[in-house]
C-alpha cells in the first residue's frame, strides 16, 4: 500500500511540474576557411560527450570563408559541450595527424586546450533564455 501511495504521489508531482522552457542557442563560428565539405555542429550533454550521438545537431554544406552562424532550436536549459568539425571530405570522421586534429574544429575554450578535452573544460551553460556564443575555428597548419 505504501509503495502504491508513493507511486501515485510521484506521478501527480510529475504531472503538476511546470514544463522546462526551451530557447535557441546561436553559435557564431569565426575564422571558417573555405575548404569544401561540411561543418558538423552539435551540442552534447555530459553523457553524450565525444560520442557520435547528440541531442542537438546541425550541418552547413560547403561553408564559405569567414563567419558562419548555426542555430540550435528549442534547447533545454543545462550544461552542454559545443562540438564542431569541418569535415572536409564529408566522411563523418575527424582526420588525425598523429595526436592532432587534421581537419578544422571548434569547442568552447578550445584555444586553451593542450590535450584531449574533458566535458568540464569545454562546457557552457544554456539558461532558460537561451545562449549566444562566438567561437573561433581552429585549423591544422
Amino acid at each position: 500500500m505504501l509503495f502504491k501511495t508513493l507511486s501515485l504521489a510521484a506521478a501527480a508531482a510529475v504531472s503538476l511540474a511546470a514544463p522546462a522552457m526551451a530557447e535557441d542557442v546561436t553559435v557564431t563560428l569565426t575564422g571558417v576557411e573555405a575548404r569544401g565539405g561540411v561543418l558538423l555542429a552539435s551540442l552534447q550533454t555530459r553523457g553524450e560527450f565525444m560520442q557520435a550521438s547528440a541531442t542537438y545537431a546541425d550541418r552547413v554544406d560547403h561553408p564559405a570563408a569567414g563567419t558562419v552562424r548555426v542555430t540550435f532550436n528549442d534547447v533545454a536549459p543545462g550544461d552542454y559541450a559545443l562540438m564542431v568539425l569541418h569535415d572536409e571530405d564529408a566522411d563523418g570522421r575527424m582526420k588525425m595527424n598523429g595526436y592532432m586534429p587534421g581537419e578544422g574544429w571548434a569547442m568552447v575554450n578550445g584555444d586553451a586546450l593542450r590535450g584531449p578535452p574533458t566535458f568540464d573544460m569545454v562546457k557552457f551553460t544554456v539558461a532558460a533564455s537561451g545562449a549566444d556564443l562566438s567561437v573561433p575555428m581552429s585549423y591544422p597548419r
Side-chain angles (χ1 to χ4, degrees):
M1 181 68 176
L2 178 61
F3 178 77
K4 186 175 181 180
T5 303
L6 290 175
S7 296
L8 291 173
V14 169
S15 67
L16 295 176
M21 299 302 291
E23 289 293 333
D24 294 347
V25 173
T26 301
V27 178
T28 302
L29 298 168
T30 60
V32 175
E33 296 181 4
R35 296 187 175 198
V38 61
L39 278 177
L40 302 173
S42 65
L43 300 181
Q44 295 181 322
T45 63
R46 183 179 297 275
E48 297 167 337
F49 185 62
M50 301 291 281
Q51 303 298 314
S53 65
T55 302
Y56 306 97
D58 200 1
R59 65 183 284 143
V60 177
D61 292 319
H62 309 290
T67 300
V68 173
R69 283 189 180 75
V70 177
T71 300
F72 301 96
N73 301 110
D74 301 321
V75 177
D79 290 337
Y80 295 91
L82 169 70
M83 310 289 283
V84 179
L85 168 63
H86 190 159
D87 189 6
E88 296 173 28
D89 59 3
D91 69 351
R93 299 180 143 175
M94 177 180 273
K95 298 278 185 278
M96 299 298 288
N97 292 332
Y99 293 105
M100 300 298 292
E103 295 177 295
W105 61 277
M107 293 179 176
V108 172
N109 300 322
D111 53 350
L113 295 175
R114 299 294 175 256
T118 65
F119 182 80
D120 289 327
M121 294 166 82
V122 298
K123 74 178 180 180
F124 71 100
T125 301
V126 174
S129 59
D132 290 308
L133 304 171
S134 181
V135 181
M137 290 292 298
S138 296
Y139 286 90
R141 295 186 179 160

